[in-house]
Amino acid sequence: MTSQSQGIQQLLQAEKRAKDKLEEAKKRKGKRLKQAKEEAIAEIDHYRLQREKEFRNKQTNVMGSQGNLSAKIEEQTTETVRNLTSSYHKNMESMMKKLLSTICDINPEVHPNFRHA
């Protein structure tokens, strides 16, 4: 009977060791899953930061070129206004003389279709 009770005792101890090993394996699995999740989150954050940086660079390039284009257009507009103002001041006197001579210098003539009765 002692041999049977020793066999049962050994079986119970073996079952307890197996249960402990199973618990330990579950803990390691849980720990590994947690670690894998943290690594994945870190990798996703790194990728997101990298893509946002690329996006900001592209956005800066596009907006920068638009800013340069805007400055160029502003400069051209200023130059055109300056040229027109200069031309106005240069030609104003002669145009006023022509306009006044056309209005004030009247040469009375008989219209070619006029028939003297």
Side-chain angles (χ1 to χ4, degrees):
M1 185 99 159
T2 51
S3 132
Q4 277 185 348
S5 108
Q6 260 185 340
I8 292 174
Q9 201 65 23
Q10 284 178 344
L11 282 174
L12 288 173
Q13 285 177 354
E15 185 179 338
K16 185 176 185 222
R17 283 193 307 264
K19 191 182 218 184
D20 289 342
K21 283 187 176 183
L22 188 60
E23 290 289 326
E24 185 62 34
K26 283 182 181 180
K27 285 180 185 178
R28 281 193 313 247
K29 182 181 176 185
K31 201 183 250 186
R32 179 63 189 132
L33 285 173
K34 194 175 193 179
Q35 182 183 6
K37 184 178 180 181
E38 289 171 357
E39 288 173 1
I41 288 173
E43 190 175 331
I44 289 170
D45 288 342
H46 176 71
Y47 180 75
R48 180 181 298 125
L49 289 173
Q50 180 184 0
R51 296 300 286 179
E52 285 177 358
K53 184 177 178 182
E54 289 174 12
F55 174 73
R56 276 190 239 108
N57 287 339
K58 287 181 181 179
Q59 187 178 28
T60 302
N61 289 342
V62 169
M63 296 305 279
S65 67
Q66 285 181 352
N68 292 342
L69 184 62
S70 172
K72 234 183 228 180
I73 290 172
E74 185 68 31
E75 184 180 318
Q76 288 175 350
T77 304
T78 305
E79 183 65 29
T80 304
V81 168
R82 201 176 308 129
N83 288 339
L84 288 173
T85 305
S86 170
S87 176
Y88 166 76
H89 288 298
K90 186 170 99 178
N91 297 320
M92 179 182 73
E93 189 69 32
S94 66
M95 284 307 296
M96 289 301 283
K97 285 181 182 176
K98 282 183 185 178
L99 183 63
L100 286 174
S101 74
T102 303
I103 293 172
C104 294
D105 297 340
I106 300 173
N107 294 330
E109 296 176 358
V110 177
H111 196 274
N113 290 336
F114 178 73
R115 291 187 189 153
H116 193 35

